[in-house]
Amino acid sequence: MSPGLLRVVIFVAALLSCSVAATAQSFPGPEDDLYRAETIVTGTGEAERARGFLIGAEDVLIKLTGRADLAVSQPAMAVIALAPDLVAEHSYEDRMKDIPIHDEQGTRDRPHYLRMRFDAEKFDRALAEQRLAKWEGKRPIVAVWLGISEPRSSYILSRDGGDGYGQREVLKDASKKRGIAIILPEAGQRAVSYSDILEAEQSALLKASIPLGADAVLYGTLDFDGNAYWNCQWAVAGEGIYTSWKMHGVTFDAALKGAIERVAAAHAGRILGD
C-alpha cells in the first residue's frame, strides 16, 4: 500500500469513528425521499406532464442505483418508460406565479415546476424485474474541498462566501438530484489552504473534514482555461474507497455534476470508468 493511500485509510477511519457533531449544514441529500423528483415543464398539459414523468423516473432510477451511466441502458429505459404507472402523486407550481400576465404571456403556457413522488414498492419491483441492483448501502455525507482558479483570483469554495456562487448552486442541485449529502467549509477557515488542495495533501484534507461530520471527502481543483471552459482534477476518498480522475475542456456544470455522480458510483460499489 502506498504511503498516500495509507494516510487515506488512517484518516478515513478517524472520520468514521469521530463523534464530533457537524458544525456545517449539509445540503439536501440522503435524508430526502429518494423516490421524489422535480423538473420544469411548459404548462400543465398531458404531453408535458408525460415528458416530466420520464425525466423524474430517470432521476429516481439514478438515485436508487447510484449509477448515472445506466440511464441509457435498455433495462433502465424499460423502467423509465413505466413512469406514468409508477407515479404515486404529483403537483405543480407556477414559476411565474408572482408575475402578472402581460404582453403575450396570456397566449402561451407558463413554465411550472412539476414535482412527483413515485411509488416505492412499484419502482423497486420494476428495478428487480430488469435486474437492476438497488443501492442498499449507507449513503455518505461528503465534505467538498474545491479550489477554483479564475483570472481574477484563486480561492476555496465555501458554503457562505461571496465567490463561486454559480459553482455552489450547481453542487447543491447535483447533491439533491443524486441523493448525496455534501458539506462545504465555512468561509475564512484556516484548516486547509488552496495549496493543500492543489498538491493533494490528503492528510490535511481528511483531518479538516472530521469536525464537519463527513464520512467521505471529495477534493479537487477547477481551473478556467482562458476561453469558455474549465479543466479539473478530482479525487474521492471514503471507507474502503479511493479513486481519482481528470476532465479537460468542460463546463463547470459538467465537472461538478460529474464529480457528484462519481461519488455515488464509487460508494454504490461501482466506480465509473475513465
Side-chain angles (χ1 to χ4, degrees), residues 234-248:
W234 289 106
V236 59
E239 184 180 11
I241 290 170
Y242 176 80
T243 186
S244 61
W245 68 96
K246 296 179 180 180
M247 300 175 73
H248 298 281

Side-chain angles (χ1 to χ4, degrees), residues 130-151:
Q130 294 298 323
R131 298 184 178 180
L132 294 173
K134 183 180 174 183
W135 178 8
E136 301 286 3
K138 178 182 179 293
R139 290 173 182 260
I141 298 176
V142 183
V144 179
W145 297 96
L146 174 60
I148 299 177
S149 177
E150 299 178 346

Side-chain angles (χ1 to χ4, degrees), residues 61-106:
L61 183 144
I62 293 172
K63 280 194 290 186
L64 291 176
T65 62
R67 304 239 350 234
D69 62 320
L70 279 180
V72 296
S73 70
Q74 288 297 328
M77 288 190 289
V79 173
I80 293 168
L82 299 174
D85 297 324
L86 301 178
V87 172
E89 60 184 21
H90 70 279
S91 63
Y92 292 100
E93 180 185 350
D94 187 346
R95 296 187 72 209
M96 303 171 68
K97 61 185 179 182
D98 297 323
I99 302 176
I101 295 176
H102 62 283
D103 298 327
E104 298 181 2
Q105 289 184 24

Side-chain angles (χ1 to χ4, degrees), residues 142-163:
V142 183
V144 179
W145 297 96
L146 174 60
I148 299 177
S149 177
E150 299 178 346
R152 60 187 180 85
S153 65
S154 296
Y155 54 90
I156 297 175
L157 185 67
S158 65
R159 65 185 175 95
D160 49 2
D163 292 319

